[in-house]
Amino acid sequence: MKTKLAILISLLILISCSTQDDLPHEKIINSPIQEEIKIENGTTLKIDLGTFGDEEGAWIFENPQNARVNKLYRELSGSSIFYEYTPLSNFTGKDTVGLILNRGSDGTSLGVNDTTRICIITE
């Protein structure tokens, strides 16, 4: 009985450590820049990512290197999610943020993750 239990636990560990789980991570890391946005130094960029259901959301997977403010927030009175970016003082140049957007949940499924990478150019 102990041998069968040990084999079962070993199989569960092997299945949970499968390299197949890493495929979505490779897709996220290698996603191309999908949009370039120019802003003036000292201004804040605010992007409306659209409406999301209760089980849906957005996450930052790649933080910009030159941000003073870098955050996602959900509007309290609605279902929109916004991304906000403010560059460091006196920073000019390119900065990149990567976002994961999860949509399509029907309340019982997890929904679908999509990635977007945005290049922010501060002038």
Side-chain angles (χ1 to χ4, degrees):
M1 181 69 173
K2 289 182 182 180
T3 305
K4 288 181 183 179
L5 183 61
I7 291 172
L8 180 62
I9 291 172
S10 298
L11 285 174
L12 288 173
I13 290 171
L14 287 173
I15 291 169
S16 67
C17 295
S18 169
T19 58
Q20 201 168 19
D21 293 340
D22 294 334
L23 293 177
H25 301 294
E26 289 176 18
K27 181 182 173 192
I28 290 171
I29 292 169
N30 296 323
S31 64
I33 300 289
Q34 294 170 316
E35 188 174 358
E36 284 190 0
I37 300 173
K38 292 183 181 182
I39 62 171
E40 295 293 321
N41 194 333
T43 61
T44 297
L45 172 66
K46 183 177 177 181
I47 301 172
D48 184 348
L49 299 174
T51 58
F52 291 78
D54 293 339
E55 292 87 16
E56 301 169 335
W59 299 268
I60 298 171
F61 76 85
E62 178 185 353
N63 287 300
Q65 298 297 309
N66 300 291
R68 185 167 46 93
V69 174
N70 173 49
K71 65 181 180 178
L72 287 166
Y73 60 93
R74 186 180 291 258
E75 200 175 53
L76 292 177
S77 61
S79 57
S80 291
I81 293 181
F82 294 89
Y83 171 72
E84 192 171 300
Y85 170 90
T86 305
L88 293 171
S89 299
N90 300 321
F91 170 74
T92 57
K94 293 182 178 183
D95 220 352
T96 303
V97 63
L99 306 173
I100 297 173
L101 309 176
N102 180 275
R103 289 195 169 98
S105 174
D106 60 4
T108 58
S109 66
L110 296 176
V112 177
N113 286 338
D114 188 21
T115 60
T116 185
R117 290 182 73 224
I118 302 168
C119 178
I120 304 165
I121 302 169
T122 305
E123 300 178 329

